[in-house]
Amino acid sequence: MTDLPLTVAVIGAGPAGLFALDALLRQAPNARVDVYERLPTPFGLIRTGVAPDHQGTKAVVRQFDRAFAQDRVRLIADCEVGQAVPLTLVADAYDLVFLATGAPRPRRLGLPGEELPGVYSASILSAWMNGHPDHSDLQPRLGERVVIVGGGNVALDMARVLAKTPEEMAASDICAHARPLCGVRRSITVAVRARADATRFSAAEVAALARLQGCGVAAELAADLDPASPVVAVLEAFAATPSSGAAHLRFRFDLAPVEIVGRSRVEAIRVRRGDGGEEAIPTDNVISAIGHESAPAPASPRTYAVGWASGGRGDIPSSRAEAAATVRAALVEAAAEPRAEARARLAAAVTAAATPIDWRGWKQIDAAEIAAAEPPRPREKLVTWRDLREVAGSRDTKFM
């Protein structure tokens, strides 16, 4: 029996990692938890991946303010666990480690022509719109014709944001450098491999497109679709409504992309229809919204993966439930042990590799972004590593 508190490291301050933190605080009242994050800011995809006009979804971060207000929780941001700070050092220094490293790589289409200028990943475009410092210099060039390849809500998010007017985005936290993309006279095609009654679209998200002020929406639908599908019911209403507005959004289904065509940049995407025929859809851009690839979590003693790192779906509801279950299972066999020497080795590695940003530093960034925003915009994000670090201010370099 020991009186030592259980020491826990969470690697990754995105949704899965912070839901694991929340579960730890509920299930292990005496645990001390350090949350490591590669970026200067917490919240992962809640901050840099959720569509900027989905402020209700982003509001989930408020619950984590209460977690970090506790003395037994520390944020160690701007500190990458990897080469300079090896995971083995972290695993030796804590009784439990939870890996919440996400799915950092967008899945590739695997098509000829994918390297042409004008092809973008929806996840990287979204990160750029949301102020991810890795992508602050992206400078995408989007023309008047855009084809979005994908049958999930990320494809819907990208189509919706590109179709909205600046006035419709006024209460969002889209970054200043991305705002010129909105309000452009543009034709947007959402090309979906599945049939309309087999997509992963949320019916509510599709229905919300009817409220767009400057965009007409249409859908090309097969005659033999399942009439019980909620998505089909919404799309049929669009199909019966004439398209109007400066922007035009069209859904096309049962299309398999074959090749991206162009000489010096994208000119068209060639697709194979469900009837076996092929056609080339003229376009200035192809945006791929077909998901992410997660790296397998390395095996290590007392180490557990959560979220995408565990092969999970990555959405917020499932991340919350999965994190709670994983924490519960890990705590069954967890035991607090003396780890002073290992923690000293870890402290030396962290001090040599980084000047971590703590929760106080993040709150200085948070306050600066809120103060810089012109209402009704909730914040004006800092978007470069340099600016984020400068605003975080001087930090205590003593790690342990």
Side-chain angles (χ1 to χ4, degrees):
M1 190 72 177
T2 177
D3 292 330
L4 292 172
L6 194 71
T7 57
V8 185
V10 176
I11 314 300
L18 295 182
F19 287 135
L21 167 65
D22 187 63
L24 282 161
L25 297 181
R26 295 173 187 274
Q27 299 179 34
N30 295 323
R32 303 188 68 85
V33 187
D34 290 340
V35 181
Y36 292 80
E37 170 55 48
R38 181 182 74 87
L39 295 176
T41 58
F43 309 134
L45 286 180
I46 301 173
R47 176 177 167 93
T48 62
V50 172
D53 58 339
H54 273 180
Q55 290 299 305
T57 303
K58 294 192 177 199
V60 71
V61 302
R62 294 172 189 161
Q63 75 181 78
F64 303 126
D65 280 350
R66 297 190 292 273
F68 282 101
Q70 301 187 40
D71 291 339
R72 60 194 181 107
V73 178
R74 293 195 303 173
L75 176 67
I76 304 167
D78 200 2
C79 178
E80 183 173 10
V81 174
Q83 293 185 349
V85 183
L87 177 60
T88 52
L89 275 183
V90 177
D92 287 344
Y94 293 90
D95 300 312
L96 285 175
V97 177
F98 292 91
L99 293 176
T101 48
R105 298 185 301 273
R107 184 175 291 123
R108 293 176 57 83
L109 288 165
L111 300 179
E114 189 168 5
E115 305 301 329
L116 282 169
V119 179
Y120 298 102
S121 155
S123 60
I124 291 176
L125 267 181
S126 181
W128 172 77
M129 291 178 183
N130 273 300
H132 194 302
D134 283 351
H135 305 294
S136 59
D137 59 353
L138 181 63
Q139 298 181 331
R141 292 173 54 196
L142 297 190
E144 295 183 355
R145 301 170 302 175
V146 174
V147 173
I148 301 171
V149 178
N153 286 341
V154 172
L156 286 183
D157 288 342
M158 186 57 56
R160 185 187 63 254
V161 170
L162 291 179
K164 279 191 169 183
T165 64
E167 293 74 22
E168 288 174 297
M169 293 296 291
S172 77
D173 64 350
I174 189 171
C175 291
H177 59 234
R179 287 172 208 157
L181 293 185
C182 301
V184 175
R185 187 174 186 86
R186 180 177 284 129
S187 171
I188 303 165
T189 299
V190 179
V192 186
R193 184 183 292 269
R195 286 163 48 97
D197 51 4
T199 69
R200 294 176 288 111
F201 292 147
S202 158
E205 292 291 325
V206 177
L209 299 174
R211 298 192 292 271
L212 294 176
Q213 296 174 4
C215 180
V217 184
E220 295 180 9
L221 300 173
D224 59 344
L225 296 172
D226 180 0
S229 165
V231 171
V232 169
V234 175
L235 290 169
E236 284 178 338
F238 289 144
T241 304
S243 180
S244 62
H248 298 273
L249 172 57
R250 179 175 296 276
F251 289 90
R252 298 191 62 188
F253 297 93
D254 210 4
L255 296 181
V258 174
E259 179 185 12
I260 298 171
V261 181
R263 292 180 290 273
S264 59
R265 62 175 292 110
V266 174
E267 297 174 13
I269 180 169
R270 192 159 58 88
V271 297
R272 183 176 296 113
R273 299 187 303 269
D275 62 9
E278 292 191 3
E279 66 176 282
I281 303 174
T283 187
D284 303 306
N285 301 100
V286 173
I287 299 176
S288 170
I290 58 171
H292 301 78
E293 294 180 352
S294 57
S300 186
R302 306 176 313 282
T303 299
Y304 300 82
V306 292
W308 266 321
S310 70
R313 290 170 52 190
D315 60 281
I316 287 176
S318 63
S319 292
R320 181 188 285 110
E322 186 222 3
T326 302
V327 166
R328 188 176 302 109
L331 289 174
V332 170
E333 310 217 357
E337 297 182 11
R339 300 184 184 277
E341 292 184 6
R343 290 181 73 80
R345 292 193 297 271
L346 175 61
V350 170
T351 301
T355 305
I357 295 174
D358 59 13
W359 188 252
R360 179 180 60 85
W362 153 246
K363 294 306 288 184
Q364 289 178 192
I365 294 170
D366 186 42
E369 291 182 342
I370 292 171
E374 182 177 343
R377 202 169 300 283
R379 65 177 62 240
E380 192 67 69
K381 286 181 179 173
L382 299 163
V383 301
T384 67
W385 286 86
R386 177 179 178 179
D387 287 347
L388 288 161
R389 287 166 171 164
E390 285 185 354
V391 171
S394 60
R395 305 184 290 282
D396 184 358
T397 58
K398 181 180 178 182
F399 173 64
M400 294 290 188

